[in-house]
Amino acid sequence: MKTTRLLAAIGLSAALLAFSAVRAHADFITGYGWVTTEAIANSATGASAASLALGTCHNGAGACTHANADVTFTTTGINFNTTGSDVSTWLASNPFPLNGLVDNVAAHLMDATIWEFVGNVSVTGTVATPQTFSVAHDDGATFVVNGQTVINAPGPTSPTVTTGTYTGGANGNAAFDLIYAECCGGPAVLNIGLLAPANAPTVPEPGTLVLVAAGIGGLLTAVRRRKLSS
């Protein structure tokens, strides 16, 4: 009986530890992708999807909006890197899970596409010592934090790292907008480190939920057995 209760307690403790680990993950980031034209991806400028004037997405069939994105998903990190690949391969290169993935252009080449990532980030810098952000990209990238354009590096480039500073001071939950364009041949690189807001909502991963359920189930079984034996 003691052994059973001990194993159940260990299982529950492991589950709670795993749940705590999930809280350390980045806040969820929503990604949107559109097939566009070479000319649009080549000259993409601006601080937001709206200001990109993307009137020729879907190979000229319509403007880019979140409602008609060719690809949508949520993730906890951004680290994509492939060479001369299609959209599905580029997506799979991200080591962070892509949740709720809808990919309507899986076989389409990454060249030419435009992507937008929106979410919230914790900014730890102050006005005197501003927060620095670095984006590795190929091709163009624009990064906006709380309405301030921190990085504006549009147009084609070989893989490069662009750094910018946010001068708005500390903010525990600042909205961000990251625009990325891929054109003119591979590779397709996009990598940025983001710190989750301290008050970011926690959504347990499926594996964690199973572990929690198993731990609680084991504990309940031990309690029932104890009642029956008493």
Side-chain angles (χ1 to χ4, degrees):
M1 184 59 63
K2 290 183 178 179
T3 302
T4 302
R5 291 199 299 270
L6 177 60
L7 291 176
I10 291 173
L12 182 58
S13 298
L16 293 175
L17 286 173
F19 185 80
S20 298
V22 173
R23 296 184 65 86
H25 286 185
D27 194 6
F28 278 98
I29 300 163
T30 304
Y32 304 92
W34 299 270
V35 170
T36 185
T37 65
E38 193 77 18
I40 288 291
N42 187 4
S43 61
T45 60
S48 67
S51 63
L52 285 171
L54 301 178
T56 55
C57 282
H58 308 288
N59 291 310
C64 289
T65 68
H66 290 172
N68 69 6
D70 296 308
V71 180
T72 59
F73 58 87
T74 61
T75 186
T76 55
I78 299 173
N79 186 5
F80 301 90
N81 189 345
T82 59
T83 301
S85 65
D86 56 29
V87 169
S88 62
T89 304
W90 188 74
L91 292 173
S93 72
N94 189 29
F96 301 95
L98 304 184
N99 304 304
L101 175 63
V102 176
D103 183 0
N104 295 319
V105 287
H108 191 283
L109 292 178
M110 276 297 294
D111 188 2
T113 57
I114 285 190
W115 301 80
E116 182 181 21
F117 299 86
V118 296
N120 295 82
V121 60
S122 178
V123 183
T124 58
T126 65
V127 175
T129 57
Q131 177 78 39
T132 298
F133 292 93
S134 295
V135 178
H137 58 99
D138 171 2
D139 290 289
T142 301
F143 183 57
V144 181
V145 177
N146 207 25
Q148 178 185 328
T149 301
V150 177
I151 292 172
N152 188 21
T157 180
S158 56
T160 188
V161 176
T162 303
T163 300
T165 54
Y166 173 70
T167 59
N171 190 321
N173 197 31
F176 74 83
D177 192 346
L178 173 63
I179 300 289
Y180 167 72
E182 167 57 25
C183 78
C184 317
V189 176
L190 181 64
N191 185 357
I192 182 171
L194 297 171
L195 179 64
N199 60 345
T202 300
V203 180
E205 296 172 348
T208 301
L209 290 174
V210 171
L211 187 55
V212 170
I216 294 175
L219 184 59
L220 291 175
T221 299
V223 171
R224 290 193 193 98
R225 288 178 177 173
R226 183 177 181 182
K227 287 183 178 180
L228 290 173
S229 62
S230 59

